[in-house]
Amino acid sequence: AQSVTQLGSHVSVSEGALVLLRCNYSSSVPPYLFWYVQYPNQGLQLLLKYTTGATLVKGINGFEAEFKKSETSFHLTKPSAHMSDAAEYFCAVSDEYGGSQGNLIFGKGTKLSVKP
Amino acid sequence: NAGVMQNPRHLVRRRGQEARLRCSPMKGHSHVYWYRQLPEEGLKFMVYLQKENIIDESGMPKERFSAEFPKEGPSILRIQQVVRGDSAAYFCASSPNSGVLYEQYFGPGTRLTVT
């Protein structure tokens, strides 16, 4: 069965600094991988997703993630943090090959704080 | 185009009462997913429905929980005889079709508190 581990429940960076949020997955089949962002009292919003093809995926708001099969990782990065990036970020994997139903398995989330 | 709507946003129930959570998908979406988020946890899949059909309820507790998505009206997640452990945020998501290639759009959630 698939699973997702997010290292670090809280990450704090200074404005303008690199953002790195870590995600490792476990899957017996080629996974589909996702990053979602959740602002306070709001639903989740899709940042980016990897299905097939290019392993470096670019998303909204300047975020990108790289699928590394050998490391079973899908870390999220952004070169320069902005105050508006403060939110909770969730990594997710589809729960079956091809994701024919679309059920997602989520990590526990990482809360990102951005200091001025 | 309105997004996914959930109501109520906050719901307080005493132990033993019933909780009804509603989800109106985006216009044109006929697929609905329900997830539960316990404190300090990620979202956990509960149930996947299409109009008038439950496709996958493998994540839903066998007792006290039920879900429906009628031909007309919102999807309903019903929890009977609530217990303190049911306190959580419940999110629904909708998509235009099944499969992860179709983005799931999430509602703002219903935060259930059981006292």
Side-chain angles (χ1 to χ4, degrees):
Chain A
Q2 283 86 342
S3 66
V4 175
T5 301
Q6 290 184 242
L7 297 176
S9 57
H10 290 84
V11 170
S12 181
V13 301
S14 297
E15 192 173 18
L18 171 72
V19 176
L20 171 61
L21 304 182
R22 300 177 187 274
C23 173
N24 289 88
Y25 68 90
S26 170
S27 176
S28 58
V29 298
Y32 290 178
L33 294 158
F34 306 79
W35 275 100
Y36 282 84
V37 60
Q38 183 181 28
Y39 297 101
N41 297 316
Q42 294 187 28
L44 279 69
Q45 179 183 6
L46 181 65
L47 272 179
L48 49 80
K49 66 181 179 184
Y50 168 78
T51 54
T52 59
T55 56
L56 181 62
V57 181
K58 294 187 185 298
I60 61 172
N61 302 339
F63 284 93
E64 63 183 36
E66 186 171 11
F67 169 58
K68 292 187 176 180
K69 184 178 178 180
S70 62
E71 299 177 8
T72 60
S73 69
F74 191 57
H75 301 331
L76 181 71
T77 60
K78 182 174 180 178
S80 178
H82 192 273
M83 297 296 291
S84 61
D85 295 326
E88 189 159 18
Y89 293 80
F90 292 93
C91 182
V93 63
S94 61
D95 78 337
E96 60 183 277
Y97 181 63
S100 61
Q101 291 191 155
N103 309 348
L104 298 173
I105 297 168
F106 286 87
K108 292 187 177 183
T110 298
K111 288 184 180 174
L112 175 67
S113 301
V114 181
K115 298 175 291 187
Chain B
N1 188 11
V4 178
M5 299 178 69
Q6 291 188 249
N7 66 79
R9 294 290 306 276
H10 299 274
L11 182 61
V12 179
R13 284 287 178 266
R14 291 182 177 162
R15 281 179 296 172
Q17 291 184 320
E18 178 180 287
R20 283 193 177 221
L21 288 61
R22 294 175 183 77
C23 169
S24 296
M26 286 182 69
K27 187 177 181 180
H29 288 192
S30 58
H31 299 253
V32 167
Y33 303 79
W34 283 94
Y35 295 86
R36 177 165 65 174
Q37 183 180 28
L38 293 169
E40 306 301 321
E41 296 281 332
L43 280 73
K44 297 276 195 269
F45 166 76
M46 298 182 73
V47 61
Y48 163 48
L49 311 101
Q50 294 179 24
K51 284 282 188 181
E52 300 184 276
N53 288 302
I54 297 175
I55 306 302
D56 181 355
E57 55 184 348
S58 60
M60 201 147 72
K62 296 288 188 285
E63 297 180 355
R64 303 188 297 107
F65 285 72
S66 62
E68 63 177 13
F69 189 15
K71 185 176 180 181
E72 301 290 337
S75 175
I76 306 285
L77 179 67
R78 183 182 176 202
I79 311 172
Q80 295 178 291
Q81 299 176 324
V82 296
V83 300
R84 288 229 171 100
D86 297 332
S87 295
Y90 293 82
F91 291 92
C92 81
S94 73
S95 70
N97 212 325
S98 65
V100 291
L101 294 181
Y102 296 91
E103 180 176 346
Q104 292 184 28
Y105 293 83
F106 283 79
T110 293
R111 280 152 182 84
L112 172 66
T113 302
V114 179
T115 61

